[in-house]
Amino acid sequence: MIRFSNVYKRYSEGREALSNVCFHLGKGEMAFLTGHSGAGKSTLLKLIAVIERATQGQVLIDGQNVGRVHRSKVPFVRRSIGIIFQDHRLLFDRTVFDNVALPLVIAGHDHKEIGRRVRASLDKVGLLTREKAYPITLSGGEQQRVGIARAVVTKPPMLLADEPTGNLDPDLSREIMKLFEEFNRVGMTLLIASHDLALISSLKHRILTLHDGRMIAGGDDPEAEEFA
Ligand code: ADP
């Protein structure tokens, strides 16, 4: 589903953020992406979501080189991807319902369909009773779950999460990971960036490790393990 082939990323200002990264994530797989702060985790996720483009190499989603997709076609690529950020980026002047509905409103779905899908999504994250609430009245864990409901409301086959539990205590973090496992059980492909090694090591999923922009473990580069 996702394949990185000798991918390099150098920002116009700054050093190389990713260097010769190779890995393949199969359809229906759930994997963690870890590494120190500045290792390149966010950059790798941004290349998949075409928020940034590779300087060299190929980023393939279902065989399509998304690094080469024309700007006007990027929204089509993003339709297959749900994205979750650490700071969840909710709109604080809108209700929970309206926040989750946003991607469907943008996609032009009708009113009835939006109501049905938003409630199904809120039900999945256990927030069905809070649809009329404003995000400010929710706990940090609940706010993050609203962000997750918004990311899955369009039923994307793939979910990317960037430090989704970064601001949460261990119990809430585990709950969020359980939620991701439930999505994975029904066939969703997930790639979750997290530097919380204690948490991700306790779950039995593949771990991809970046160090200074290089994939030192879990990837496809046979020479990489020697750096680990
Ligand atoms: P991580 O998510 O693992 O903390 P990042 O992908 O955010 O790592 O960053 C990797 C490297 O790229 C770091 O050295 C960071 O300073 C640099 N970087 C990230 N974004 C930019 C940017 N927009 N411009 C210049 N350098 C950047």
Side-chain angles (χ1 to χ4, degrees):
M1 182 146 213
I2 304 173
R3 185 181 294 281
F4 273 52
S5 220
N6 307 99
V7 171
Y8 292 77
K9 172 65 185 176
R10 183 186 289 278
Y11 288 102
S12 50
E13 289 161 34
R15 54 190 187 85
E16 214 156 62
L18 292 177
S19 187
N20 201 20
V21 169
C22 301
F23 74 92
H24 173 248
L25 189 70
K27 194 169 158 51
E29 226 187 312
M30 172 165 169
F32 292 110
L33 178 64
T34 194
H36 60 87
S37 173
K41 303 182 294 297
S42 296
T43 300
L44 189 151
L45 297 181
K46 284 176 183 167
L47 294 185
I48 299 170
V50 208
I51 297 166
E52 294 286 350
R53 307 237 186 192
T55 314
Q56 205 181 310
Q58 293 192 324
V59 175
L60 304 167
I61 301 179
D62 290 332
Q64 183 184 25
N65 184 355
V66 295
R68 292 253 174 262
V69 164
H70 189 269
R71 210 149 40 108
S72 63
K73 298 277 190 288
V74 169
F76 293 98
V77 176
R78 294 223 185 108
R79 248 176 230 178
S80 66
I81 307 172
I83 308 176
I84 295 160
F85 304 96
Q86 176 175 348
D87 59 2
H88 49 66
R89 304 192 185 172
L90 300 178
L91 301 172
F92 279 85
D93 60 343
R94 309 272 181 99
T95 62
V96 164
F97 183 98
D98 287 346
N99 267 281
V100 176
L102 202 61
L104 300 175
V105 173
I106 292 168
H109 289 277
D110 71 55
H111 199 66
K112 218 168 138 190
E113 173 77 359
I114 290 175
R116 197 181 61 73
R117 289 229 218 164
V118 169
R119 291 190 181 100
S121 199
L122 284 174
D123 192 25
K124 273 187 210 149
V125 302
L127 286 176
L128 199 49
T129 59
R130 310 306 302 272
E131 65 171 80
K132 293 194 177 72
Y134 283 86
I136 199 78
T137 65
L138 304 179
S139 70
E142 286 173 331
Q143 289 179 8
Q144 187 55 291
R145 282 190 277 148
V146 176
I148 294 170
R150 183 186 52 191
V152 300
V153 76
T154 56
K155 295 192 187 153
M158 187 194 325
L159 195 65
L160 306 177
D162 195 356
E163 299 286 356
T165 63
N167 293 324
L168 304 178
D169 68 35
D171 284 346
L172 286 174
S173 299
R174 257 190 298 278
E175 271 180 36
I176 298 285
M177 291 303 180
K178 263 195 224 150
L179 204 51
F180 289 150
E181 286 182 325
E182 278 169 32
F183 295 156
N184 180 239
R185 230 169 280 138
V186 293
M188 197 182 268
T189 307
L190 293 100
L191 184 58
I192 303 156
S194 171
H195 65 262
D196 188 347
L197 261 182
L199 175 62
I200 65 176
S201 310
S202 70
L203 302 161
K204 300 286 167 243
H205 297 285
R206 179 173 160 202
I207 299 178
L208 302 160
T209 308
L210 283 169
H211 186 88
D212 285 344
R214 292 187 167 268
M215 186 74 80
I216 58 164
D220 296 338
D221 182 351
E223 288 174 29
E225 304 289 341
E226 69 192 53
F227 295 104

